[in-house]
């Protein structure tokens, strides 16, 4: 059901932990399953993401996608990090089962929330970045998924 890469990142997640005095921190939840993800970014004066760590209280797919997402944004510029969508994370993991696609949204939203926090602290605007939601289902109806 899961690709080897998903299993690998679930069993040996990269970049678990927190960054003290992080440049930006973002937390996003999924009220439907109760999972929570927090991403920490360390961004230098040139706007390069020097380090990225995460803490995920969630399912295996959420752990694997956060692990891969942190690997993908590390060493990148803010503009490049903006391109790390949930689709990009899933591709890097060789896919996720359809019922687990929503889990990868947490990773994308948590990165955006951390970038938003960074932008707010530095009084800058990041092209294409929208104010983050506290929950990925915020603003949606009650439909099943
Ligand atoms: Fe909640 Fe995967 S089931 S994030």
């Amino acid at each position: 059901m899961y690709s080897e890469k998903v299993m690998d990142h679930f069993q040996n997640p990269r970049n678990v932990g927190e960054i003290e005095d992080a440049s930006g921190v973002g937390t996003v939840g999924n009220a439907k399953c109760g999972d929570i993800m927090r991403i920490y970014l360390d961004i230098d004066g040139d706007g390069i993401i020097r380090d990225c760590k995460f803490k995920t209280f969630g399912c295996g797919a959420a752990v694997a996608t956060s692990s891969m997402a942190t690997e993908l944004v590390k060493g990148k510029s803010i503009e490049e990090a903006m391109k790390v969508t949930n689709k990009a994370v899933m591709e890097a993991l060789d896919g996720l089962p359809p019922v687990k696609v929503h889990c990868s949204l947490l990773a994308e939203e948590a990165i955006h929330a951390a970038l938003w926090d960074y932008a707010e602290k530095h009084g800058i605007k990041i092209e294409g970045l929208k104010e983050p939601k506290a929950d990925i289902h915020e603003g949606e109806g009650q439909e099943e998924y």
Side-chain angles (χ1 to χ4, degrees):
M1 173 176 182
Y2 289 113
S3 74
E4 268 175 39
K5 281 194 191 161
V6 173
M7 289 312 289
D8 178 31
H9 278 264
F10 168 57
Q11 281 163 342
N12 310 293
R14 328 299 199 256
N15 311 308
V16 176
E18 25 187 301
I19 298 176
E20 241 180 89
D21 300 322
S23 319
V25 183
T27 308
V28 186
N30 181 341
K32 287 190 182 171
C33 62
D35 293 353
I36 300 168
M37 186 183 296
R38 180 169 295 159
I39 295 243
Y40 300 81
L41 296 175
D42 181 18
I43 302 173
D44 71 11
D46 296 325
I48 303 295
I49 299 170
R50 290 290 163 210
D51 200 8
C52 179
K53 296 228 183 287
F54 80 92
K55 277 192 165 172
T56 291
F57 182 81
C59 73
V63 171
T65 47
S66 1
S67 169
M68 182 53 93
T70 55
E71 287 281 274
L72 290 177
V73 300
K74 240 184 177 182
K76 301 266 168 71
S77 66
I78 291 171
E79 290 70 31
E80 287 167 332
M82 285 294 293
K83 295 187 192 126
V84 178
T85 58
N86 78 306
K87 217 171 150 258
V89 174
M90 280 196 295
E91 272 169 22
L93 285 169
D94 293 337
L96 279 175
V99 290
K100 287 288 172 184
V101 169
H102 71 276
C103 314
S104 65
L105 276 174
L106 272 182
E108 177 183 325
E109 290 291 331
I111 290 172
H112 286 177
L115 286 173
W116 181 269
D117 182 42
Y118 167 79
E120 290 239 293
K121 283 181 184 155
H122 290 77
I124 59 167
K125 216 179 161 301
I126 296 174
E127 193 65 38
L129 184 64
K130 295 200 197 82
E131 187 164 359
K133 302 171 179 178
D135 187 280
I136 57 167
H137 296 294
E138 211 171 273
E140 280 179 15
Q142 289 301 305
E143 79 275 12
E144 288 299 313
Y145 70 106

